[in-house]
């Protein structure tokens, strides 16, 4: 099947996002059918921006939760808090999204504590319910509610792994860094730097991502390229912009940093 990429600009009232395939149509279909969606891909490749864009396209409010080691089910569902000398129940972001029929986006869900996935299971099957144990309330998710989660498979290990019993409750889309022509368009649009000056940055990113045997957990992200391009658009020198926006964020090892600077010199001369 031949796939044509739509490189037309994003309407000004929407967050900027450059589609790279059929992900927008898949998101809409999942939303219309009340199905949960899992986005898989490396850090900084556009997963969060994609969800923000699709929420705007659909005209839906979105509750975004950045998951971390200490994130518990109570953080998502809610808890009793002391207000004015009285105890009052306060909904968490997941509960608010269910009540309002909004989108709840769990960014890097694999980082959350194990009890979080237990709470998600009834929302990701035919029940589509959220049980609030503290209040005894059981919420049925309305038609407009959608659960979206993301994670980076490259960071998974034995202790941080999304169980098959959870993964298989979601539709899944794999994300990766865009093709060079698309990445140039994205970085240029986000930074204001002309495409001709963005092209060497994208070429540099391709070389870094292809490196093997170096102490890099992951290749340079589109996000970092955009940071570097913004600095260059603000008249910072190329070497300095790349140093602070790409090399320093990627590694602390002096030898690896020098190897990256050598690579930069081969691209920029």
């Amino acid at each position: 099947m031949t796939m044509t990429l739509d490189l037309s600009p994003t309407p000004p009232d929407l967050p900027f996002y450059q589609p790279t395939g059929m992900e927008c149509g898949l998101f809409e279909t999942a939303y219309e059918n009340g199905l949960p969606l899992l986005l898989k891909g490396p850090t900084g490749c556009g997963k969060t921006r994609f969800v923000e864009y699709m929420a705007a396209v659909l005209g839906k409010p979105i509750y975004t939760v950045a998951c971390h080691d200490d994130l518990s089910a109570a953080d998502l569902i809610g808890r009793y808090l002391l207000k004015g000398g009285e105890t009052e129940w306060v909904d968490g972001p997941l509960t608010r999204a269910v009540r309002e029929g909004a989108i709840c986006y769990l960014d890097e869900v694999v980082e959350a504590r194990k009890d979080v996935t237990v709470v998600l299971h009834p929302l990701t099957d035919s029940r589509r319910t959220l049980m609030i144990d503290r209040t005894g309330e059981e919420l049925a998710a309305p038609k407009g509610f959608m659960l979206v989660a993301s994670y980076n498979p490259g960071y998974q290990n034995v202790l941080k792994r999304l169980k098959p019993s959870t993964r298989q409750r979601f539709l899944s889309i794999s994300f990766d860094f865009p093709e060079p022509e698309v990445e140039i368009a994205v970085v240029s649009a986000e930074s204001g730097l002309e495409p001709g000056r963005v092209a060497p940055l994208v070429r540099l990113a391709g070389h870094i991502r292809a490196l093997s045997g170096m102490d890099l957990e992951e290749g340079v992200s589109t996000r970092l390229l955009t940071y570097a391009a913004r600095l260059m658009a603000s008249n910072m020198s190329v070497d300095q912009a790349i140093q602070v926006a790409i090399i320093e964020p990627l590694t602390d090892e002096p030898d690896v940093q020098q190897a990256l600077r050598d690579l930069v010199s081969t691209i920029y001369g």
Side-chain angles (χ1 to χ4, degrees), residues 92-114:
L94 179 60
T95 303
R96 291 198 295 272
V98 173
R99 290 192 196 278
E100 298 172 16
I103 295 172
C104 184
Y105 173 48
L106 306 180
D107 187 19
E108 296 296 344
V109 66
V110 74
E111 297 294 333
R113 284 168 35 174
K114 299 296 183 183

Side-chain angles (χ1 to χ4, degrees), residues 6-20 23-24 45-57 175 178 181-193 195 198 222-223 226 230:
D6 179 9
L7 298 181
S8 57
T10 302
D13 57 337
L14 296 178
F16 178 81
Y17 178 75
Q18 182 62 68
T20 60
E23 69 271 27
C24 296
C45 69
K47 300 187 298 294
T48 298
R49 177 61 64 86
F50 169 62
V51 180
E52 294 170 346
Y53 171 79
M54 291 307 303
V57 167
F175 279 70
E181 66 175 33
V182 177
E183 193 162 32
I184 290 170
V186 168
V187 174
S188 180
E190 287 280 90
S191 66
L193 190 67
V198 171
T222 303
R223 180 188 298 125
T226 301
R230 286 178 178 173

Side-chain angles (χ1 to χ4, degrees), residues 167-188:
R167 275 205 317 271
Q168 293 185 26
R169 293 172 179 271
F170 289 81
L171 301 179
S172 294
I173 303 176
S174 290
F175 279 70
D176 205 343
F177 299 116
E179 292 296 319
E181 66 175 33
V182 177
E183 193 162 32
I184 290 170
V186 168
V187 174
S188 180

Side-chain angles (χ1 to χ4, degrees), residues 169-249:
R169 293 172 179 271
F170 289 81
L171 301 179
S172 294
I173 303 176
S174 290
F175 279 70
D176 205 343
F177 299 116
E179 292 296 319
E181 66 175 33
V182 177
E183 193 162 32
I184 290 170
V186 168
V187 174
S188 180
E190 287 280 90
S191 66
L193 190 67
E194 55 267 28
R197 296 184 65 194
V198 171
L201 276 177
V202 171
R203 191 159 64 251
L204 172 65
H207 284 293
I208 293 175
R209 292 165 188 164
L211 289 174
S212 61
M214 294 186 69
D215 187 22
L216 293 177
E217 291 185 352
E218 199 168 74
V220 60
S221 67
T222 303
R223 180 188 298 125
L224 287 181
L225 293 184
T226 301
Y227 290 169
R230 286 178 178 173
L231 295 177
M232 291 165 61
S234 299
N235 297 319
M236 182 178 286
S237 71
V238 171
D239 287 344
Q240 188 175 3
I242 291 175
Q243 178 68 30
V244 300
I246 296 177
I247 296 175
E248 291 287 354

Side-chain angles (χ1 to χ4, degrees), residues 200 203-204 207-208 238-239 242-243 247 257-269:
R203 191 159 64 251
L204 172 65
H207 284 293
I208 293 175
V238 171
D239 287 344
I242 291 175
Q243 178 68 30
I247 296 175
Q257 288 190 356
Q258 184 57 53
L260 292 176
R261 283 192 288 270
D262 292 344
L263 181 57
V264 171
S265 66
T266 66
I267 299 295
Y268 283 91

Side-chain angles (χ1 to χ4, degrees), residues 103-145:
I103 295 172
C104 184
Y105 173 48
L106 306 180
D107 187 19
E108 296 296 344
V109 66
V110 74
E111 297 294 333
R113 284 168 35 174
K114 299 296 183 183
D115 61 332
V116 167
T117 56
V118 175
V119 169
L120 299 180
H121 283 186
L123 279 171
T124 53
D125 59 27
S126 60
R127 290 171 289 179
R128 281 176 58 86
T129 58
L130 176 65
M131 184 66 193
I132 306 177
D133 292 332
R134 294 288 186 89
T135 65
E137 188 177 6
E138 185 175 6
L139 299 180
K143 180 175 175 55
F145 170 76

